[in-house]
Amino acid sequence: MSMLKLAFQNFKSSFKSYLSLIISLSFTIMILCNFMNLVDSGILNQLGESNARNVEIIIQVLSFVIGCFMLFFVWYSTNVFLTKRKREIGVYVFMGLSNQRIGKLYAIETIFIGLTSLILGIGFGALTSQLFMMILMRISEITVEIHFQFSLQAGLTTTLIFGLIYLLFVIKGYVNIVRSSVLEMVSANRQNEYVKQKKVILVFKAIAGVVILALGYYLAIKEAGMEVMGNVFIAVVLVAAGTYLLFGGLIPVIFQGLATHKRFLYKHERNLWINNVIFRIRKNYRTYAMVCVLMVCSVTALAFGFAMKNRYDGIVHFENTYTYQVLSDDSGYRQEFATLIEKNNDIDVSSDIEILAIDSTYTDNPYSQPYALLAYSQIKKVAEETGMDFDLQEPSDDEFISLNHLYLMSLTNDMVADINTINGQEYRSIAAIDTPYLGYMQENMDYMIVNDHVYDELQVYGQKMHLYNYKIADASNFEASVEDIQSSEHCLGLVKIDPEREEIAWIKILYSVSIFMFMVFVFAGGCILFMKLYNDAFEEKERYAILLKLGISRKSLKKSIADELLFAYVAPLLVMSISSYFSVRALGNLMQTSLFSVYLVSVLVIIIFFIFCYLLSLLIYRKNAGI
């Protein structure tokens, strides 16, 4: 029988064993293929040149992330597959086959798995491409014309990326088998990830893990200024390292301590699974840590998407506060401009305010935007006229309140002490707000709200401007009044807001993409745990057979398996829930928004998915273990 036929027969007979791996790989390939097709389909061109370019950059970055994840996932899954197959393949040595021919057999069988995954992934990617785009645009709330179009280039690019990654690990597995001895092959599945360590080392790792995690959590929520971005980056590294040490040190120490307490151990037949958990955590702690980190990444990715969407909605609301903003050189023209607008539109809200632009020669920032002063009483009047919130405390003579615009993403959390100097006098910021009292015009200058006394004193150092603001009932009819407003000799400048413009629509795409990334990471994490437990069941078959012969009932063994598998899912889930809380909290501080509800929903979704994986694992584990 040829190697090809033998490998194909092995593949067919073990297809159920490979099913979870094939589904996981196919799902990842399908997502990557759909992202590639989105770029090549030409649909993004309907969003405009700027949006299309930004979305393409986002998708290219995400494709790179998925590619890196695919590299990692293929490495892990092929290692698990190789270890499981080594003992079986090692039998061929006794049949007279050389290591080279055995390695060739493994490579062909592994290629069958990869080809099946690739065909399914590309096939479902092509079939779901239109649905993927519809869901993406629906979540993004973007209206574009969608037609079925699957790009051959997208399929070829996906095939090339996956093929190179997969071939790399096929070759690695072939070389591994060629260099392995018969003893290594036969005992391989008992060596996987097993790390025998002294208790002193475990205690050291436990303490180090707790300290590193605590430091990472602290940096994640620490109040900071310009260094906040660096703190977040360091926190990510520390949380990942701390999670690894936690599963490799603290959890084994806890369970070993429980195993020494006989009263605890012998109640409810815990001795049937506690010791096995100790062995499993020392054997599989890298897997648990990896799944935990994947889940933290999934929750953070989803929270980031929601944070960007919230910021987008805030910016759109901010810019659409007023439909027209008219700049004039004097006061008293509010009714004149209102009359011109009312020829074609009804006015819902209007306000006017005086702005004092300080000459840069009197300030400490001569090369940046000039300071623009606003009187406290006038801001209060604008708030009353427009119905906006106003709960500001009036500044003292050496204080001011910063009136900011909404940033898409800030690299600080506004905790930096802000002191501005005008004509040698220092003024200290006591608060920073982003309420859109001045609407779109709030983006153009550094606004300082000072008390009326200071405002009057500083008038000699600047130039007054008058801003008249109007919001009409039908914003889509804004063009109708533009010529009338500009016909006035008192109109020095006009800002008109088109409610239909989509200059930053790419942010909504980012939001919907983050949902798909969340799904990919969660699905992958569940599949990794499922594959690991699936393979562990075969190793435990002999042990459970012996326990049955010793008189242990099947009911007790089934409960033992249920408790053991429950730990395998609950431990990563518990650590993930704690770590992701701090990661989402850090992201919320950075983006200046509350993401707690996103955290709760995402964790709940993961719990539901893990419950499904647990029940499926329990059913298959018992079957494979012969219980």
PDB file of all heavy atoms in Angstrom, residues 43 47 52 93 100 112 132 159 165 206 246 250 335 338 382 485 538 542 545 548 575 591 608 617:
ATOM      1  N   ILE A  43     -16.581  47.601  -2.773  1.00  0.00           N
ATOM      2  CA  ILE A  43     -17.714  48.188  -2.042  1.00  0.00           C
ATOM      3  C   ILE A  43     -17.272  49.385  -1.204  1.00  0.00           C
ATOM      4  O   ILE A  43     -18.001  50.364  -1.047  1.00  0.00           O
ATOM      5  CB  ILE A  43     -18.376  47.116  -1.153  1.00  0.00           C
ATOM      6  CG1 ILE A  43     -19.139  46.132  -2.032  1.00  0.00           C
ATOM      7  CG2 ILE A  43     -19.308  47.726  -0.128  1.00  0.00           C
ATOM      8  CD1 ILE A  43     -19.814  45.014  -1.274  1.00  0.00           C
ATOM      9  N   LEU A  47     -17.782  54.584   0.114  1.00  0.00           N
ATOM     10  CA  LEU A  47     -17.671  55.369   1.343  1.00  0.00           C
ATOM     11  C   LEU A  47     -16.878  56.642   1.149  1.00  0.00           C
ATOM     12  O   LEU A  47     -16.759  57.451   2.072  1.00  0.00           O
ATOM     13  CB  LEU A  47     -17.005  54.524   2.438  1.00  0.00           C
ATOM     14  CG  LEU A  47     -17.687  53.203   2.808  1.00  0.00           C
ATOM     15  CD1 LEU A  47     -16.870  52.470   3.863  1.00  0.00           C
ATOM     16  CD2 LEU A  47     -19.099  53.456   3.311  1.00  0.00           C
ATOM     17  N   ALA A  52     -12.523  54.950   2.583  1.00  0.00           N
ATOM     18  CA  ALA A  52     -12.082  53.687   1.992  1.00  0.00           C
ATOM     19  C   ALA A  52     -10.631  53.410   2.341  1.00  0.00           C
ATOM     20  O   ALA A  52     -10.264  52.273   2.667  1.00  0.00           O
ATOM     21  CB  ALA A  52     -12.262  53.739   0.476  1.00  0.00           C
ATOM     22  N   VAL A  93       7.427   1.737  13.286  1.00  0.00           N
ATOM     23  CA  VAL A  93       8.849   1.406  13.350  1.00  0.00           C
ATOM     24  C   VAL A  93       9.033  -0.100  13.472  1.00  0.00           C
ATOM     25  O   VAL A  93       9.920  -0.702  12.853  1.00  0.00           O
ATOM     26  CB  VAL A  93       9.524   2.134  14.535  1.00  0.00           C
ATOM     27  CG1 VAL A  93      10.968   1.666  14.683  1.00  0.00           C
ATOM     28  CG2 VAL A  93       9.469   3.638  14.325  1.00  0.00           C
ATOM     29  N   GLN A 100      12.085   8.401   8.112  1.00  0.00           N
ATOM     30  CA  GLN A 100      11.789   9.270   6.976  1.00  0.00           C
ATOM     31  C   GLN A 100      10.418   8.939   6.372  1.00  0.00           C
ATOM     32  O   GLN A 100       9.631   9.839   6.046  1.00  0.00           O
ATOM     33  CB  GLN A 100      12.879   9.151   5.894  1.00  0.00           C
ATOM     34  CG  GLN A 100      14.191   9.814   6.239  1.00  0.00           C
ATOM     35  CD  GLN A 100      15.011   9.016   7.238  1.00  0.00           C
ATOM     36  OE1 GLN A 100      14.717   7.845   7.512  1.00  0.00           O
ATOM     37  NE2 GLN A 100      16.039   9.650   7.798  1.00  0.00           N
ATOM     38  N   PHE A 112      -3.669  16.583   4.446  1.00  0.00           N
ATOM     39  CA  PHE A 112      -5.088  16.315   4.225  1.00  0.00           C
ATOM     40  C   PHE A 112      -5.957  17.168   5.157  1.00  0.00           C
ATOM     41  O   PHE A 112      -6.992  17.700   4.748  1.00  0.00           O
ATOM     42  CB  PHE A 112      -5.395  14.832   4.452  1.00  0.00           C
ATOM     43  CG  PHE A 112      -5.062  13.946   3.280  1.00  0.00           C
ATOM     44  CD1 PHE A 112      -4.389  12.750   3.468  1.00  0.00           C
ATOM     45  CD2 PHE A 112      -5.415  14.309   1.992  1.00  0.00           C
ATOM     46  CE1 PHE A 112      -4.074  11.933   2.399  1.00  0.00           C
ATOM     47  CE2 PHE A 112      -5.110  13.504   0.914  1.00  0.00           C
ATOM     48  CZ  PHE A 112      -4.423  12.307   1.111  1.00  0.00           C
ATOM     49  N   PHE A 132     -21.685  38.370   4.985  1.00  0.00           N
ATOM     50  CA  PHE A 132     -20.696  39.027   5.841  1.00  0.00           C
ATOM     51  C   PHE A 132     -20.728  40.545   5.637  1.00  0.00           C
ATOM     52  O   PHE A 132     -20.724  41.313   6.608  1.00  0.00           O
ATOM     53  CB  PHE A 132     -19.306  38.476   5.520  1.00  0.00           C
ATOM     54  CG  PHE A 132     -18.185  39.119   6.274  1.00  0.00           C
ATOM     55  CD1 PHE A 132     -17.878  38.733   7.571  1.00  0.00           C
ATOM     56  CD2 PHE A 132     -17.427  40.128   5.698  1.00  0.00           C
ATOM     57  CE1 PHE A 132     -16.846  39.337   8.273  1.00  0.00           C
ATOM     58  CE2 PHE A 132     -16.393  40.732   6.389  1.00  0.00           C
ATOM     59  CZ  PHE A 132     -16.103  40.328   7.682  1.00  0.00           C
ATOM     60  N   THR A 159      -5.296  31.693   0.673  1.00  0.00           N
ATOM     61  CA  THR A 159      -4.654  30.384   0.474  1.00  0.00           C
ATOM     62  C   THR A 159      -3.147  30.479   0.671  1.00  0.00           C
ATOM     63  O   THR A 159      -2.532  29.605   1.301  1.00  0.00           O
ATOM     64  CB  THR A 159      -4.964  29.853  -0.934  1.00  0.00           C
ATOM     65  OG1 THR A 159      -6.380  29.745  -1.102  1.00  0.00           O
ATOM     66  CG2 THR A 159      -4.313  28.486  -1.163  1.00  0.00           C
ATOM     67  N   ILE A 165       1.958  29.256   6.271  1.00  0.00           N
ATOM     68  CA  ILE A 165       1.989  28.986   7.710  1.00  0.00           C
ATOM     69  C   ILE A 165       1.868  27.493   7.980  1.00  0.00           C
ATOM     70  O   ILE A 165       2.645  26.912   8.751  1.00  0.00           O
ATOM     71  CB  ILE A 165       0.852  29.752   8.427  1.00  0.00           C
ATOM     72  CG1 ILE A 165       1.103  31.269   8.365  1.00  0.00           C
ATOM     73  CG2 ILE A 165       0.727  29.308   9.883  1.00  0.00           C
ATOM     74  CD1 ILE A 165      -0.053  32.098   8.884  1.00  0.00           C
ATOM     75  N   ALA A 206       4.266  31.432  42.140  1.00  0.00           N
ATOM     76  CA  ALA A 206       2.969  31.893  42.633  1.00  0.00           C
ATOM     77  C   ALA A 206       3.062  33.327  43.141  1.00  0.00           C
ATOM     78  O   ALA A 206       2.234  34.184  42.792  1.00  0.00           O
ATOM     79  CB  ALA A 206       2.464  30.967  43.731  1.00  0.00           C
ATOM     80  N   LEU A 246       0.605  32.655  37.135  1.00  0.00           N
ATOM     81  CA  LEU A 246      -0.516  32.284  38.007  1.00  0.00           C
ATOM     82  C   LEU A 246      -0.921  30.828  37.780  1.00  0.00           C
ATOM     83  O   LEU A 246      -1.094  30.060  38.736  1.00  0.00           O
ATOM     84  CB  LEU A 246      -1.703  33.204  37.738  1.00  0.00           C
ATOM     85  CG  LEU A 246      -2.801  33.245  38.806  1.00  0.00           C
ATOM     86  CD1 LEU A 246      -2.306  33.960  40.047  1.00  0.00           C
ATOM     87  CD2 LEU A 246      -4.043  33.930  38.269  1.00  0.00           C
ATOM     88  N   LEU A 250       0.613  29.601  41.242  1.00  0.00           N
ATOM     89  CA  LEU A 250      -0.359  29.769  42.324  1.00  0.00           C
ATOM     90  C   LEU A 250      -1.419  28.673  42.344  1.00  0.00           C
ATOM     91  O   LEU A 250      -1.699  28.078  43.391  1.00  0.00           O
ATOM     92  CB  LEU A 250      -1.023  31.140  42.210  1.00  0.00           C
ATOM     93  CG  LEU A 250      -2.078  31.448  43.287  1.00  0.00           C
ATOM     94  CD1 LEU A 250      -1.437  31.472  44.656  1.00  0.00           C
ATOM     95  CD2 LEU A 250      -2.795  32.756  42.996  1.00  0.00           C
ATOM     96  N   GLN A 335     -30.804  88.821  15.617  1.00  0.00           N
ATOM     97  CA  GLN A 335     -32.129  88.802  14.989  1.00  0.00           C
ATOM     98  C   GLN A 335     -32.034  88.968  13.478  1.00  0.00           C
ATOM     99  O   GLN A 335     -32.808  88.375  12.729  1.00  0.00           O
ATOM    100  CB  GLN A 335     -33.017  89.908  15.580  1.00  0.00           C
ATOM    101  CG  GLN A 335     -34.452  89.863  15.093  1.00  0.00           C
ATOM    102  CD  GLN A 335     -35.127  88.508  15.325  1.00  0.00           C
ATOM    103  OE1 GLN A 335     -35.048  87.946  16.417  1.00  0.00           O
ATOM    104  NE2 GLN A 335     -35.759  87.962  14.291  1.00  0.00           N
ATOM    105  N   ALA A 338     -31.192  85.674  12.082  1.00  0.00           N
ATOM    106  CA  ALA A 338     -32.350  84.787  12.277  1.00  0.00           C
ATOM    107  C   ALA A 338     -33.417  85.057  11.218  1.00  0.00           C
ATOM    108  O   ALA A 338     -34.029  84.120  10.685  1.00  0.00           O
ATOM    109  CB  ALA A 338     -32.931  84.982  13.671  1.00  0.00           C
ATOM    110  N   VAL A 382     -25.577  80.830  27.312  1.00  0.00           N
ATOM    111  CA  VAL A 382     -25.681  79.910  26.168  1.00  0.00           C
ATOM    112  C   VAL A 382     -26.315  78.592  26.610  1.00  0.00           C
ATOM    113  O   VAL A 382     -27.165  78.030  25.916  1.00  0.00           O
ATOM    114  CB  VAL A 382     -24.283  79.657  25.540  1.00  0.00           C
ATOM    115  CG1 VAL A 382     -24.345  78.508  24.543  1.00  0.00           C
ATOM    116  CG2 VAL A 382     -23.770  80.916  24.863  1.00  0.00           C
ATOM    117  N   ILE A 485     -27.620  84.140   4.287  1.00  0.00           N
ATOM    118  CA  ILE A 485     -26.729  84.513   5.394  1.00  0.00           C
ATOM    119  C   ILE A 485     -25.494  85.231   4.864  1.00  0.00           C
ATOM    120  O   ILE A 485     -25.072  86.265   5.409  1.00  0.00           O
ATOM    121  CB  ILE A 485     -26.317  83.251   6.195  1.00  0.00           C
ATOM    122  CG1 ILE A 485     -27.536  82.607   6.844  1.00  0.00           C
ATOM    123  CG2 ILE A 485     -25.286  83.613   7.264  1.00  0.00           C
ATOM    124  CD1 ILE A 485     -27.243  81.267   7.489  1.00  0.00           C
ATOM    125  N   PHE A 538      -8.188  10.313  25.891  1.00  0.00           N
ATOM    126  CA  PHE A 538      -7.581   9.060  25.447  1.00  0.00           C
ATOM    127  C   PHE A 538      -6.496   8.596  26.422  1.00  0.00           C
ATOM    128  O   PHE A 538      -6.313   7.398  26.638  1.00  0.00           O
ATOM    129  CB  PHE A 538      -6.985   9.235  24.046  1.00  0.00           C
ATOM    130  CG  PHE A 538      -8.024   9.416  22.976  1.00  0.00           C
ATOM    131  CD1 PHE A 538      -8.298  10.683  22.466  1.00  0.00           C
ATOM    132  CD2 PHE A 538      -8.742   8.334  22.492  1.00  0.00           C
ATOM    133  CE1 PHE A 538      -9.260  10.857  21.477  1.00  0.00           C
ATOM    134  CE2 PHE A 538      -9.709   8.495  21.507  1.00  0.00           C
ATOM    135  CZ  PHE A 538      -9.970   9.755  20.995  1.00  0.00           C
ATOM    136  N   GLU A 542      -7.139   4.233  30.165  1.00  0.00           N
ATOM    137  CA  GLU A 542      -6.604   3.110  30.931  1.00  0.00           C
ATOM    138  C   GLU A 542      -6.801   3.321  32.431  1.00  0.00           C
ATOM    139  O   GLU A 542      -7.136   2.383  33.167  1.00  0.00           O
ATOM    140  CB  GLU A 542      -5.120   2.920  30.613  1.00  0.00           C
ATOM    141  CG  GLU A 542      -4.840   2.481  29.184  1.00  0.00           C
ATOM    142  CD  GLU A 542      -3.354   2.323  28.918  1.00  0.00           C
ATOM    143  OE1 GLU A 542      -2.567   2.410  29.896  1.00  0.00           O
ATOM    144  OE2 GLU A 542      -2.970   2.128  27.754  1.00  0.00           O
ATOM    145  N   ALA A 545     -10.325   2.631  33.374  1.00  0.00           N
ATOM    146  CA  ALA A 545     -10.593   1.189  33.301  1.00  0.00           C
ATOM    147  C   ALA A 545     -10.119   0.484  34.571  1.00  0.00           C
ATOM    148  O   ALA A 545     -10.797  -0.411  35.107  1.00  0.00           O
ATOM    149  CB  ALA A 545      -9.896   0.596  32.075  1.00  0.00           C
ATOM    150  N   LEU A 548     -12.494   1.289  37.460  1.00  0.00           N
ATOM    151  CA  LEU A 548     -13.714   0.485  37.382  1.00  0.00           C
ATOM    152  C   LEU A 548     -13.483  -0.918  37.936  1.00  0.00           C
ATOM    153  O   LEU A 548     -14.338  -1.483  38.641  1.00  0.00           O
ATOM    154  CB  LEU A 548     -14.198   0.411  35.927  1.00  0.00           C
ATOM    155  CG  LEU A 548     -14.877   1.659  35.359  1.00  0.00           C
ATOM    156  CD1 LEU A 548     -15.108   1.514  33.861  1.00  0.00           C
ATOM    157  CD2 LEU A 548     -16.205   1.912  36.070  1.00  0.00           C
ATOM    158  N   VAL A 575     -10.047  33.884  35.962  1.00  0.00           N
ATOM    159  CA  VAL A 575      -8.904  34.800  35.823  1.00  0.00           C
ATOM    160  C   VAL A 575      -9.169  35.810  34.709  1.00  0.00           C
ATOM    161  O   VAL A 575      -8.852  36.996  34.831  1.00  0.00           O
ATOM    162  CB  VAL A 575      -7.610  34.003  35.543  1.00  0.00           C
ATOM    163  CG1 VAL A 575      -6.432  34.959  35.342  1.00  0.00           C
ATOM    164  CG2 VAL A 575      -7.309  33.045  36.695  1.00  0.00           C
ATOM    165  N   MET A 591     -10.074  56.299  26.821  1.00  0.00           N
ATOM    166  CA  MET A 591     -11.062  56.818  25.878  1.00  0.00           C
ATOM    167  C   MET A 591     -12.081  57.732  26.551  1.00  0.00           C
ATOM    168  O   MET A 591     -12.973  58.260  25.886  1.00  0.00           O
ATOM    169  CB  MET A 591     -11.797  55.657  25.217  1.00  0.00           C
ATOM    170  CG  MET A 591     -10.904  54.720  24.420  1.00  0.00           C
ATOM    171  SD  MET A 591     -10.143  55.509  22.998  1.00  0.00           S
ATOM    172  CE  MET A 591     -11.573  55.794  21.980  1.00  0.00           C
ATOM    173  N   ILE A 608     -21.565  31.808  28.458  1.00  0.00           N
ATOM    174  CA  ILE A 608     -22.559  30.977  27.760  1.00  0.00           C
ATOM    175  C   ILE A 608     -21.869  30.048  26.761  1.00  0.00           C
ATOM    176  O   ILE A 608     -22.187  28.849  26.676  1.00  0.00           O
ATOM    177  CB  ILE A 608     -23.600  31.862  27.051  1.00  0.00           C
ATOM    178  CG1 ILE A 608     -24.441  32.615  28.083  1.00  0.00           C
ATOM    179  CG2 ILE A 608     -24.492  31.026  26.139  1.00  0.00           C
ATOM    180  CD1 ILE A 608     -25.371  33.645  27.488  1.00  0.00           C
ATOM    181  N   SER A 617     -17.731  18.926  25.738  1.00  0.00           N
ATOM    182  CA  SER A 617     -16.499  18.252  26.173  1.00  0.00           C
ATOM    183  C   SER A 617     -16.817  17.110  27.123  1.00  0.00           C
ATOM    184  O   SER A 617     -16.222  16.031  27.046  1.00  0.00           O
ATOM    185  CB  SER A 617     -15.560  19.245  26.869  1.00  0.00           C
ATOM    186  OG  SER A 617     -15.132  20.248  25.987  1.00  0.00           O
TER     187      SER A 617
END
